[in-house]
Amino acid sequence: MLENDSDLKAIALITSGGDSPGMNAAVRAVVRASVQNGLKVYAAYRGYQGIIDDDFVDLGTHSVSNIIQRGGTILKSARSSEFRTPEGREKAAVNLKKRDIDALVVIGGDGSFTGANIISEEHGINVVGIPATIDNDIIGTDETIGYDTALNTAMDAIDKIRDTADAHERMFLVEVMGRDAGFIALETSIAGGAELALLPEELTNVNEVKALLKNMLQEQKRSSLVVVAEGDETGGALKLAERIKDDFTKYDVKVCILGHIQRGGAPTARDRVLASRLGAAAVKVLLEGHSRIMVGIVNNSLKITPMRVAVSKKKNLDYALVQLAKLLR
Ligand code: F6P
């Protein structure tokens, strides 16, 4: 074990918000990089709620063996309403300070980073964020941990649905996750060759959707597959099906909601490598004295973004991909 040159002696780690495949790989990287640099590592269970409840565990190199390949999070995750209150954050700060914890590493999405920024401002705790959400909607990183796995899970499901859609000459509306973000819907629609993708970022005109599908079905197509983001304007695949099924009786419109399947499973190699890089980077930037920042990878290089910037707006879809999906349908 090395001694480090910074004043940092102990850090705490949480996974927070919706889980995403690769969180465990990030936990492993943070723990191992910290231990290598002579830091003591605590983790709290269930995100911020565990800090408030004083539910901590010490982690060492061997506590994170055999987890890189596992989905979910060994630290559990939660969305804590108590942490949204000043009293909740006060309790959390007391529990961190009584252990002489110098910094908190938060693995999660933008809601979790907002909380980290506030506790840092209110109680002077150093914080670093590692972006992990299947939604991929965080600026300051090309991809978030878990997105690639969720995308591949959804694509695999779409491939399977296409087989049966084709066999029965049916129309399927496949709903994917993404309350506010259409990344999964857009990229799975391209990768799965869907006829249409309905995205929260775009207005959906149901009459136009019907006209487009009718046009396509008049051509050579005998089945069709529409990817609907759960946050699409129409209210999701079930509601859309109600509005279009009478126009497509011949195609026996079916709905398949992929749901939380997209959040689970073994992370892809790409997510494991991303999580490993970001976990080690989080420790590096803390040792360099940074705080209230998020680590990301942009164009294959480490990028740090102030947390207040990372939470200030959602990442935009790549409109070249939106156009590509339309060109190839
Ligand atoms: O933010 C990740 C996400 O999976 C979204 O895509 C989805 O809308 C939401 O979480 C679902 O959250 P919960 O598991 O709390 O229902």
Side-chain angles (χ1 to χ4, degrees):
M1 190 165 80
L2 304 174
E3 284 301 317
N4 69 69
D5 297 330
S6 81
D7 295 335
L8 215 61
K9 297 283 174 278
I11 67 159
L13 171 63
I14 56 170
T15 49
S16 169
D19 65 327
S20 69
M23 277 184 159
N24 281 325
V27 168
R28 172 181 180 270
V30 171
V31 171
R32 295 212 167 153
S34 298
V35 170
Q36 289 287 341
N37 283 285
L39 298 175
K40 180 161 179 56
V41 188
Y42 297 94
Y45 287 112
R46 296 174 189 80
Y48 292 112
Q49 197 55 47
I51 307 182
I52 294 171
D53 297 340
D54 211 16
D55 192 5
F56 285 84
V57 61
D58 293 3
L59 293 181
T61 299
H62 299 299
S63 351
V64 291
S65 296
N66 202 19
I67 65 167
I68 195 168
Q69 78 282 15
R70 285 170 55 189
T73 159
I74 60 162
L75 301 181
K76 315 293 179 198
S77 194
R79 294 184 173 104
S80 167
S81 49
E82 200 179 349
F83 192 75
R84 291 176 206 270
T85 66
E87 297 76 24
R89 292 192 293 275
E90 170 74 32
K91 276 193 215 165
V94 167
N95 289 336
L96 290 168
K97 285 178 182 171
K98 78 179 184 199
R99 289 185 173 76
D100 294 322
I101 289 168
D102 307 302
L104 175 65
V105 177
V106 177
I107 303 172
D110 56 352
S112 307
F113 297 162
T114 301
N117 211 29
I118 298 176
I119 195 173
S120 180
E121 282 172 4
E122 288 177 347
H123 299 280
I125 289 161
N126 294 318
V127 289
V128 171
I130 299 180
T133 163
I134 65 163
D135 291 345
N136 196 34
D137 56 351
I138 301 181
I139 58 167
T141 190
D142 287 342
E143 278 187 14
T144 54
I145 297 168
Y147 173 61
D148 186 59
T149 307
L151 197 58
N152 279 286
T153 300
M155 184 192 70
D156 187 46
I158 284 171
D159 287 350
K160 289 174 174 149
I161 292 167
R162 204 175 254 298
D163 289 345
T164 175
D166 182 55
H168 286 269
E169 303 189 325
R170 282 173 167 162
M171 179 186 295
F172 269 82
L173 308 183
V174 182
E175 184 175 300
V176 297
M177 274 190 164
R179 216 168 5 211
D180 308 306
F183 289 90
I184 297 179
L186 175 59
E187 292 211 62
T188 50
S189 80
I190 295 172
E195 275 62 46
L196 274 181
L198 305 185
L199 313 168
E201 289 85 349
E202 294 208 305
L203 297 176
T204 303
N205 177 324
V206 175
N207 287 332
E208 268 175 32
V209 168
K210 283 187 204 171
L212 271 168
L213 288 169
K214 276 188 185 153
N215 243 338
M216 289 175 186
L217 289 164
Q218 268 162 18
E219 295 164 8
Q220 301 284 321
K221 292 184 198 278
R222 292 278 173 269
S223 65
S224 65
L225 202 147
V226 179
V227 177
V228 185
E230 64 176 324
D232 174 67
E233 234 201 324
T234 54
L238 277 171
K239 288 196 177 141
L240 179 64
E242 280 310 307
R243 291 173 69 183
I244 69 170
K245 67 175 191 219
D246 292 342
D247 294 69
F248 297 96
T249 43
K250 191 174 149 203
Y251 297 97
D252 189 14
V253 177
K254 298 278 179 192
V255 169
C256 183
I257 297 177
L258 299 187
H260 288 79
I261 281 179
Q262 295 157 97
R263 286 248 291 265
T268 57
R270 191 166 155 146
D271 269 327
R272 296 182 202 191
V273 173
L274 176 65
S276 301
R277 288 178 82 180
L278 292 181
V283 176
K284 175 176 176 281
V285 296
L286 276 174
L287 289 167
E288 287 168 358
H290 293 282
S291 177
R292 291 187 209 167
I293 54 150
M294 183 199 91
V295 288
I297 301 285
V298 173
N299 293 331
N300 205 27
S301 297
L302 175 65
K303 178 179 162 97
I304 58 177
T305 303
M307 253 178 189
R308 68 182 158 69
V309 175
V311 300
S312 64
K313 56 180 177 188
K314 292 271 177 197
K315 192 199 276 178
N316 288 330
L317 286 179
D318 179 348
Y319 273 85
L321 286 186
V322 175
Q323 294 309 322
L324 180 68
K326 290 181 179 163
L327 178 74
L328 302 182
R329 68 189 174 204

